[in-house]
Amino acid sequence: MRRISKILGVITISVILIAGVQTAFAHGGGDDPKDALALVQQAIAAIQNKDMDLATDKVNDAIESDDPAGVKMDLVKQAQGLLATDMDKALSLLQQSLAAPTASPTTVQAEPTIPLKPNFQGTKTEDGLLIAAALLMLAGGLIVSRA
Amino acid sequence: MEAHNMPQDNPMGAGHQMEPLGEAAASRGLGGWLNERLSLDTFRYEVPAHANTFFYTLGGITMVCVGILAVTGILMTQFYTPVPEMANWSVRSLTMRPFLGSVLRGIHYWTAQVVFVTLILHLMRVFFTGSYHRPREANWLIGVVLAGLMGALYFTGTVLKWDQESFEALEHMVAATKLAGPLGFLFSDKFGAGSALLTRVASLHFVVLPLILLLFLGAHMLLIKKLGISPLPWKTKAEIAPEGATGEPAGAPVTLANSHAKVAKRHTFDRHIKKLVGYGYAVFGLVLALAVLFPPKIGAYPVAGIEVTRPPWVFMWIYSIENWFQIKGLVVVTTLLGLLAVAVPFVDRAKTQSLKDRRWILVAGGLIAVALVFLAMNAYVAKPASHLGM
Ligand code: HEM
């Protein structure tokens, strides 16, 4: 048993050492983009994930960018004013500000036709499935209690 | 094992019984007909009473969930396109176009959540009852591998939908594999040039991991069958006062009524299977309802260069570690946790499964569980932070 503990100790220390040494060579992610197109795309993703501080930074950077190609800057500026007050409107303005479609795969053409959020709508099919689900749970409970 | 299930004195051998075997074989109707042909009696061997309780059925429920995941997963691959340009769109298309597509995805998603609950409870049951004690150490180790494989399946699954969360998850994986040294090379973006990393992750999720899982599940089941279920770590009422087991006070005279009750309490493995069928119905009903009421969301096509998402709850504890110690922390802590899990049967030197003898390991396990819950809760309140130096 003591030998096993020793072996485990050695393995643990080696793993920590290897991890430590490797970090020195680790690659630290990409640089911040300089072009307005990428910055606006990042701002959109930040809003969609509710990180408004980051979104504000990215919109500010985009407006100050030296490379505004592919972006309708007047819309970005309008969005800038709305970030704190009307998130949805700001998001939609930023989306419109991108001249679609660009070389970037971000603007997959079919995107707008397939919504992001399927929701419960209370259709007949859904109601039927819910009844089926209830019956399944009931049947399951009965089988378990009688087995 | 029932005496009439053992045809030792049948000169034609077990395969050619001339007398009907067991009640089920003798009974007419569909059950009897099926039994005669499929030898269902094989599963009527006796098991200890506790083997048929809920906590000793959690492994089986986990298995049922794995079955639901396999079926819904295979169906979903018919609609999914594993290339970066199409993946996100194809998942959304699945939820909108084919009839019940959203429900199909929902069942797969919700079963993945349920399976992690049952897996964690199963692991906790085995740990608590000390079932990893001799001779079940190897099956515990197989279990550790199963847990790792399920984690890998969950992780690769979340990458497939290719939204911001998926993309950042994959970036973390790439960063972590860089730290893992030569081992990580196979999973890095340098290996397999010509194929997108997403496509390779998809092949892991669809083929490689399920095959390895199947292999280890087979070994897990075989060992359970060979070694039998572990005894309870405490004495049952029946063992303390044998007559009390049927509900009378200890020492009560054996009457016809209570001896019948005892027979009725015999536990066989086919009852375990019947219960599992019941739990299967219940779980399927549950995930169906969840899929209809709360269809899983999907984010927009990802953007590189930002970190704005949190991982799913299964990995949430890791997120806190990353906030404090960056990716290196992720690699070190998960490795340590894996090693600790592997060490469990070897560091618990108690001679018995008794809870009293195993106090310190139970306390240690409890503390680790509390720490993980704390880390996860801390991650929920923390703001998404950058770990990749972006
Ligand atoms: C895909 C995941 C898993 C499945 C489907 C599974 C399935 C099962 C089943 C059906 C049993 C029979 C007893 C019961 O249901 O409680 C069992 C027993 C056992 N499992 Fe698992 N298991 C899984 C993961 C794990 C993990 C993560 C561990 C621990 C690290 C583990 C360790 C064990 C051990 C030691 C036994 C024997 C317990 C005894 O005899 O009391 N399993 N497993």
Side-chain angles (χ1 to χ4, degrees), chain B residues 56 59-60 119 122 125-126 131 136 143 217 220-221 224 229-230:
Chain B
Y56 282 77
L119 177 74
H122 171 59
R125 189 287 285 171
V126 173
S131 303
R136 295 182 181 79
L217 269 181
H220 204 54
M221 297 304 123
I224 296 159
I229 206 75
S230 63

Side-chain angles (χ1 to χ4, degrees), chain A residues 39 42-61 80 83-84 87, chain B residues 306-308 383-384:
Chain A
L39 287 162
Q42 291 183 333
I44 291 172
I47 297 178
Q48 279 164 340
N49 289 286
K50 314 240 160 15
D51 188 338
M52 297 312 287
D53 292 342
L54 185 68
T56 310
D57 286 349
K58 295 290 176 185
V59 168
N60 293 344
D61 289 352
Q80 186 186 32
L83 277 171
M87 199 174 86
Chain B
I306 50 173
E307 275 186 81
V308 285
K383 202 171 145 349

